[in-house]
Amino acid sequence: MTSYDLVIIGGGPIGLACALEARKAKLNYVILEKGCLVNSLYHYPANMTFFSTSERLEIGNVPFVSNNNKPTRAESLEYYRRVTHSHTLNIRLFEEVLSVRKSKKGFTVTSSKERYSTSYVIIATGFYDIPYQLNVPGEELPKVTHYYKDPHFYAFQKVVVIGAQNSAVDAALETWRKGADVTMIIRQSEIGQRVKYWVRPDIINRIEEGSIKAYFNSQVSAIREREIDIQTPEGKLTIANDWVLALTGYEPNLDFLKACGIRLSKDEVRQPEYDPKTQETNVPGLYLAGVICGGMNTHKLFIENSRIHAEHIIKDIRRKERTSGSIR
């Protein structure tokens, strides 16, 4: 086994922020990321822009210079790549962590490629990995996807977009502007209130003028090769369809936290147990950072308000090292 002071699980912005703080504290660390660098951001839509301004996405006091008031996905990918490169962060990509087990000296972390011995573990895995399923017949068809990338693919096609939050609204507007015949299927009675404030009026206007069709208080009940069934307040409706973008949101891998020994709240939020002052969970030496701390409330934590988690964690680790007398 390879030994480290600290293993960081997740190579997103918050995982990188933790590595920067660990490096500053002269801790021997490694980041394990199951996909590419900042994997979740990479899978965002190609034309996505952030809510936050660039300075609120900065980590490690490295300036984030953007050409726009709200930085784009492409700019953020380049920024976090430059941060990783310029600080020579120790990151291992495409290496999925399979388990974290308590050991005599701390933890044994088993990945898809290796086993690691470590005194401390930080889990900063985000929530973009597990899409909510529709659980309807035909969801397994190749025409159905839970991730949207680029609008050109859908030009001149009949596209159904399921959902009413940012991802769904962006996909509906972008594919419509590329010539797609777009229909939105929305469980609620309106477009989501958390949709970006400069985009929400746009989608509402397109629906009201009839450019984009929308069925509110409705849901898809079945999907077939050439059509789909929609259950509306007026009854069942069948429409012709080429592609289904099921952009109904994503959830964190809370089962992984539970397998690590972290207690979750008994309510629907399933929030993991941790000390907000140190980010340490009920498992001593095991910390949480970033949006994973919110459980199913994935809309409460973002890069800008969870960057501070890295400082809290490393400060607590250094305190423990001083107390034990093992500080270098």
Side-chain angles (χ1 to χ4, degrees):
M1 286 194 295
T2 307
S3 295
Y4 288 96
D5 297 328
L6 170 65
V7 169
I8 301 166
I9 304 173
I14 303 305
L16 298 181
C18 291
L20 288 170
E21 290 298 319
R23 184 176 182 274
K24 191 189 306 181
K26 294 182 170 47
L27 293 173
N28 185 23
Y29 72 91
V30 65
I31 309 169
L32 302 179
E33 166 56 54
K34 75 174 186 177
C36 65
L37 182 68
V38 289
N39 191 60
S40 293
L41 296 189
Y42 175 76
H43 286 98
Y44 282 178
N47 300 324
M48 192 210 75
T49 57
F50 283 85
F51 261 115
S52 307
T53 53
S54 58
E55 68 271 11
R56 292 182 174 272
L57 300 177
E58 293 175 354
I59 57 175
N61 296 317
V62 178
F64 185 169
V65 179
S66 170
N67 294 323
N68 312 283
N69 182 39
K70 308 285 187 181
T72 65
R73 165 189 171 275
E75 288 176 324
S76 70
L77 291 179
E78 178 60 15
Y79 170 73
Y80 293 116
R81 186 195 66 79
R82 286 191 289 105
V83 169
T84 303
H85 175 73
S86 62
H87 288 276
T88 58
L89 297 183
N90 185 22
I91 183 167
R92 299 190 178 185
L93 301 172
F94 302 100
E95 183 169 347
E96 182 178 6
V97 172
L98 304 177
S99 66
V100 176
R101 297 282 184 266
K102 261 291 191 182
S103 64
K104 291 181 179 180
K105 295 184 178 181
F107 299 90
T108 297
V109 177
T110 303
S111 78
S112 57
K113 297 181 179 179
E114 198 170 333
R115 293 173 69 217
Y116 302 87
S117 173
T118 182
S119 300
Y120 306 99
V121 174
I122 300 174
I123 300 177
T125 48
F127 75 100
Y128 205 59
D129 293 328
I130 307 174
Y132 288 115
Q133 299 297 308
L134 300 174
N135 296 317
V136 300
E139 185 175 9
E140 73 286 351
L141 291 172
K143 65 185 277 186
V144 181
T145 179
H146 291 275
Y147 294 92
Y148 163 72
K149 200 72 173 170
D150 182 85
H152 174 81
F153 182 84
Y154 302 100
F156 314 127
Q157 299 285 287
K158 291 180 173 60
V159 177
V160 160
V161 178
I162 304 173
Q165 299 300 332
N166 281 293
S167 295
V169 168
D170 286 345
L173 288 170
E174 290 179 7
T175 53
W176 170 71
R177 290 195 166 98
K178 295 298 182 182
D181 179 359
V182 178
T183 301
M184 297 186 74
I185 312 299
I186 302 167
R187 281 180 177 269
Q188 298 79 22
S189 59
E190 63 177 355
I191 294 295
Q193 291 292 333
R194 295 197 300 273
V195 170
K196 289 171 282 197
Y197 66 84
W198 65 92
V199 174
R200 195 170 188 272
D202 190 3
I203 188 65
I204 291 173
N205 289 336
R206 301 295 77 76
I207 291 171
E208 289 180 349
E209 72 185 16
S211 297
I212 293 175
K213 296 179 286 293
Y215 293 95
F216 293 95
N217 300 307
S218 302
Q219 55 188 3
V220 172
S221 56
I223 302 170
R224 293 179 293 280
E225 287 287 354
R226 300 286 184 178
E227 58 190 14
I228 66 167
D229 294 335
I230 309 168
Q231 194 62 46
T232 74
E234 288 73 38
K236 178 183 170 182
L237 176 69
T238 299
I239 66 171
N241 170 255
D242 297 312
W243 301 97
V244 176
L245 302 179
L247 306 178
T248 51
Y250 310 91
E251 59 180 309
N253 191 349
L254 297 177
D255 289 339
F256 176 73
L257 301 190
K258 194 173 179 181
C260 294
I262 300 172
R263 290 191 289 264
L264 306 178
S265 64
K266 302 295 185 182
D267 56 18
E268 60 184 14
V269 177
R270 299 184 71 201
Q271 183 169 13
E273 184 177 317
Y274 71 98
D275 183 344
K277 294 180 180 178
T278 64
Q279 303 299 129
E280 188 174 29
T281 68
N282 59 280
V283 181
L286 180 54
Y287 298 83
L288 297 181
V291 69
I292 192 74
C293 299
M296 298 300 289
N297 281 342
T298 56
H299 62 280
K300 289 191 173 182
L301 289 166
F302 307 95
I303 299 171
E304 65 177 70
N305 63 0
S306 59
R307 296 174 297 177
I308 193 67
H309 294 175
E311 296 179 21
H312 292 168
I313 294 170
I314 301 305
K315 181 180 178 181
D316 191 61
I317 289 175
R318 295 302 279 168
R319 177 190 61 79
K320 288 184 175 183
E321 295 284 285
R322 286 194 296 270
T323 301
S324 66
S326 59
I327 193 167
R328 287 182 295 277

